[in-house]
Amino acid sequence: MHTPRPLPARTDLAPATVAVTAGRPVHEPDAPLNVPLTPASTYVAGGDREYGRYANPTWEAFEDVLGALEGGRALAFASGLAAVATVLDLVTPGEKIVAPRHAYLGTLSQLAEKERRGALAVQLVDIDDTAAVVAACEDAALLWIESPTNPALEVADIPALCAAAHAAGASVVVDNTFATPILQRPLELGADVVVHSATKYLAGHSDAVLGAIVTNDDQAYRALDERRRTIGATPGTLETWLATRGLRTLHLRVERAQSNARELAARLGRHPGIDRVRYPGFGGVVAIEVAGGAMAADLLTHSGRLFVHATSLGGVESTWERRRRWQSEPQTIPDNLVRISVGVEDVEDLWNDLEASLASVGDAQATPDP
Ligand SMILES: *Cc1c(COP(=O)(O)O)cnc(C)c1O
């Protein structure tokens, strides 16, 4: 029988050092510095791993690094949404979940589907309206937090919400995809469970789809591990290997993306082609509302030379998209809102590209139709 690995010892090392050093093989002659890629569907019987759906040493390296960064124990999943589904599966049928109105679309559709089938009651809230969220938690079993939210970039008061939810008897899950453990460690702020789309900043190179859950609650860890095996929401071995490699530079990538994003957000705020800039002050995601409406926003996202028109975020390269191009995006998101995932390129090159793209949109609008 597979036995869960023990909680990592509390570390006095800074996150940058943890990102580089955790999840390595022991230092001994001829040992590789990195945990190798181990494709395995089964193991010689008699040990802890037994079968490929239960455990894998390559997953474990990723889980050890992420767990150490978040301050808990991690489990890797096939995708961020597989992690979300696994957590939601553990909520007792009929219970109420409080969730942000502006959350990741896949999370919102899982909640809506469960509500339609009568499996759960869902109350959507503005996650930055602390008093309203606290009131909604009164009769809830679970508070789902995303902060900053996708794509409106609202910020939740995580410590206050965790305290209020716990007082009301509700558990708290934080989707920490946008902030990463470099900028925000929800378990330290009181959350019970952290969820990640490792597809984004953790893997960081737009080459893998992967999810993760982290918790320091022993019972939750066992239940989630059990659930992962039961439904088979297990990660690909290559994906966890790629993501471990990604985690080694997480702090560098997040710091650079953040400093680029801060600078671009400030300059965009002074640009006449932009009606509004949303930037929470941290992280690498910026949302802009483009003067001239949805058409101008579409034109803008097609005119970047460096900024790639693509969904997703958290890669080394800068990407952008108009969010309302997705049919299911909530109507409360302005139709001229463009979400920018700022990468780690040179900031002046990025600014020149943005300025040129904004100028080309301005020219197109100034030119009367023939
Ligand atoms: C992308 C994303 C997800 C879903 O993750 P996948 O890896 O695409 O399944 C969940 N939450 C947030 C905030 C995301 O950005």
Side-chain angles (χ1 to χ4, degrees), residues 21 23-38 241 248:
T21 57
R24 300 277 193 189
V26 285
H27 296 173
E28 57 188 28
D30 282 343
L33 269 65
N34 293 288
V35 167
L37 191 58
T38 305
W241 189 87
R248 301 299 181 205

Side-chain angles (χ1 to χ4, degrees), residues 136-158:
C137 284
E138 203 55 47
D139 53 349
L142 183 70
L143 169 61
W144 191 279
I145 296 176
E146 224 178 80
S147 184
T149 58
N150 173 52
L153 301 176
E154 296 124 337
V155 173
D157 183 345
I158 296 177

Side-chain angles (χ1 to χ4, degrees), residues 77-84 103-107 110 144 146-150 175-178 195-200 208-212 312-313 339:
F77 286 80
S79 65
L81 282 187
V84 170
Y104 185 71
L105 275 185
T107 304
Q110 286 192 23
W144 191 279
E146 224 178 80
S147 184
T149 58
N150 173 52
D175 182 332
N176 205 28
T177 300
F178 273 46
V195 165
H196 274 284
S197 170
T199 309
K200 314 292 168 52
V209 172
L210 185 73
S312 195
L313 56 106
R339 185 185 69 194

Side-chain angles (χ1 to χ4, degrees), residues 116-143:
R116 266 199 309 279
R117 286 191 286 126
L120 294 172
V122 179
Q123 184 175 349
L124 298 181
V125 290
D126 293 317
I127 206 71
D128 57 354
D129 183 349
T130 303
V133 182
V134 168
C137 284
E138 203 55 47
D139 53 349
L142 183 70
L143 169 61

Side-chain angles (χ1 to χ4, degrees), residues 190-347:
D192 301 289
V193 171
V194 167
V195 165
H196 274 284
S197 170
T199 309
K200 314 292 168 52
Y201 287 102
L202 303 187
H205 295 73
S206 309
D207 54 10
V209 172
L210 185 73
I213 299 178
V214 195
T215 181
N216 49 26
D217 177 323
D218 213 48
Q219 217 183 328
Y221 175 86
R222 282 168 190 276
L224 290 161
D225 186 24
E226 184 69 40
R227 193 75 200 146
R228 179 178 71 172
R229 290 194 278 149
T230 307
I231 64 173
T234 47
T237 311
L238 175 62
E239 282 73 8
T240 53
W241 189 87
L242 286 168
T244 305
R245 186 177 164 124
L247 284 174
R248 301 299 181 205
T249 56
L250 179 66
H251 51 298
L252 301 175
R253 291 183 289 104
V254 168
E255 282 161 18
R256 173 61 84 89
Q258 173 169 268
S259 69
N260 283 353
R262 273 191 183 142
E263 184 59 33
L264 296 181
R267 294 188 194 182
L268 285 164
R270 297 189 291 266
H271 196 286
I274 306 293
D275 281 346
R276 179 179 173 190
V277 177
R278 298 170 189 239
Y279 183 63
F282 63 97
V285 181
V286 179
I288 54 175
E289 294 171 30
V290 181
M295 291 249 290
D298 272 332
L299 199 56
L300 182 68
T301 55
H302 286 86
S303 59
R305 198 163 60 93
L306 301 177
F307 285 82
V308 186
H309 183 226
T311 196
S312 195
L313 56 106
V316 288
E317 61 288 286
S318 295
T319 58
W320 55 359
E321 67 172 340
R322 184 175 73 85
R323 284 300 303 175
R324 287 280 297 280
R325 76 190 180 92
W326 299 97
Q327 287 293 312
S328 43
E329 187 75 11
Q331 304 283 313
T332 44
I333 298 301
D335 67 358
N336 61 340
L337 183 143
V338 170
R339 185 185 69 194
I340 307 176
S341 174
V342 179
V344 302
E345 304 91 333
D346 179 82
V347 71

